[in-house]
Amino acid sequence: MNELAIELSADSGKCFYQQIYEYIRNEIRAGKLSKDERLPSTRSLAEYLQVARSTVESAYGQLLAEGYIQARPCRGYFVCGMDELFELAEAVPLREEERDRVKAYFRESESADGTEVEYDFSPHAICMKHFPFSTWKRITKEILVDANSEMFALGQAQGDYELRSTICRYLHSARGVSCEPERIIVGAGNDYLLMLLEKILGRHVPIAMESPTYKRAYCVFQSFAYEIKAVPMDQNGINVAELERSGAKAAYVMPSHQFPTGIVMPIGRRMELLKWAQKQEGRYLIEDDYDSEFRYKGKPIPALQAQDHSGKVIYMGTFSKSIAPAIRVSYMVLPLPLMEKYRENCGFYASTVSRIDQRILNEFIKSGSFERYLNKMRKIYREKHDFLLEQLRGMERDFVVSGENAGLHVLLKSKRGITEQALIGAALREKIRIYGLSDALAGDVPGSERYEGMILLGYGALSKEEIRRGVERLKGAWKRLTE
């Protein structure tokens, strides 16, 4: 073959080499150029099309790379057979009803019934408006400029030692945690760390969880085939007497700011928990310290792990709340006996956090940028917290407000017996999304009825003006429920 009937157009919006490449590719796919058929040489095709030879060479090079043609020494270019090629099938368009269903499923700005929401009082959302993007970009650029082959190697399974050392110093100064870098494990989110914990503690371990609790952790434990013991709470946190009767070997607790009730566990209850763990060999406390940085009244309360002198507390924390959800860097501090089990059962697992991300985070903390950002956000969240409480004034006759002075949400409980579903429904009619506490119940435990008619109002991602407008609408919507 000496020529191909290719019509090149300068007005097509595509460069000549791409037009040549697409023409030959399509001809091969359509079977118009058969297997082993010889293509024109780059020189002859360039002369025929009146283009530079390098243009044709670029098109042939792309076809070679994708396997549409092959080069035979001293003979030229030949077409490959279609049976040698892998071709993606054309996408089948979704039917209109299927497309609508997919959109509805993934549309975060809509409620379950398709109602558009204008204000979302999510207790999990955080404010990213004030994140120091320029600082993060600068650190990233500096690290990538200085990058070498060592940075792209696999790295240590527990995470880079330098980052673990930095986390160790931060935990000691901010939370009173007693640890060494050798006992810290870095992972991409708490889910991964809980997976490791299942290998460390063993399968089918009876594990106690407060009810209500953080439902995501509850679901993760369920997937491990753990026997979950739902234990009721009182005003001080998990009921230790009920915990003893449950027969659990481990207890998952959030003493610094329990989710979702907002309870801060007093020192007396913490000592009771530690005594429970010390009574039997193999008992452990899993302390989830997920948002301890945000406390707005009184001095910061040390972690439960800081009072543990018997190696009974497994401490877990994350940077998702304090920095950004997309960071996906969490850490776990193991007691020494469990470190031995980790090395035996999990030492072969590779780290799930990129070494580049670890270096960036390490520099962000070491440079003081994290501390400055944290102090700034603590002030902003405190202002939003106080502003929300101010907007809720006048609702005392109908609601009890609790869970304040820490975290990123408060709780409201109806005094008039209005159900959670009625409160949520009335809010949705005003295009406001709120969250019921019933979703966090871990089981049918005594005392669960006291959580009826209780909802969560998160304020982290909302501006003061959005909080004001949202609460104003909620007041009107809920007032109509009592008329």
Side-chain angles (χ1 to χ4, degrees), residues 353-365:
V353 182
S354 159
R355 297 193 70 192
I356 296 176
D357 290 340
Q358 293 186 58
R359 286 282 298 274
I360 295 170
L361 177 59
N362 181 63
E363 186 59 33
F364 187 69
I365 299 173

Side-chain angles (χ1 to χ4, degrees), residues 3 10 31 66-67 102 173-174 198-199 247 364 416 418 464 469:
E3 60 186 46
E66 295 183 13
V102 170
S173 62
E198 186 253 355
K199 308 295 182 185
F364 187 69
R416 298 178 178 269
I418 302 175
K464 288 183 180 179
R469 292 178 181 176

Side-chain angles (χ1 to χ4, degrees), residues 39-51:
L39 295 179
S41 68
T42 56
R43 184 187 299 276
S44 64
L45 185 58
E47 291 176 355
Y48 175 76
L49 297 176
Q50 295 296 298
V51 296

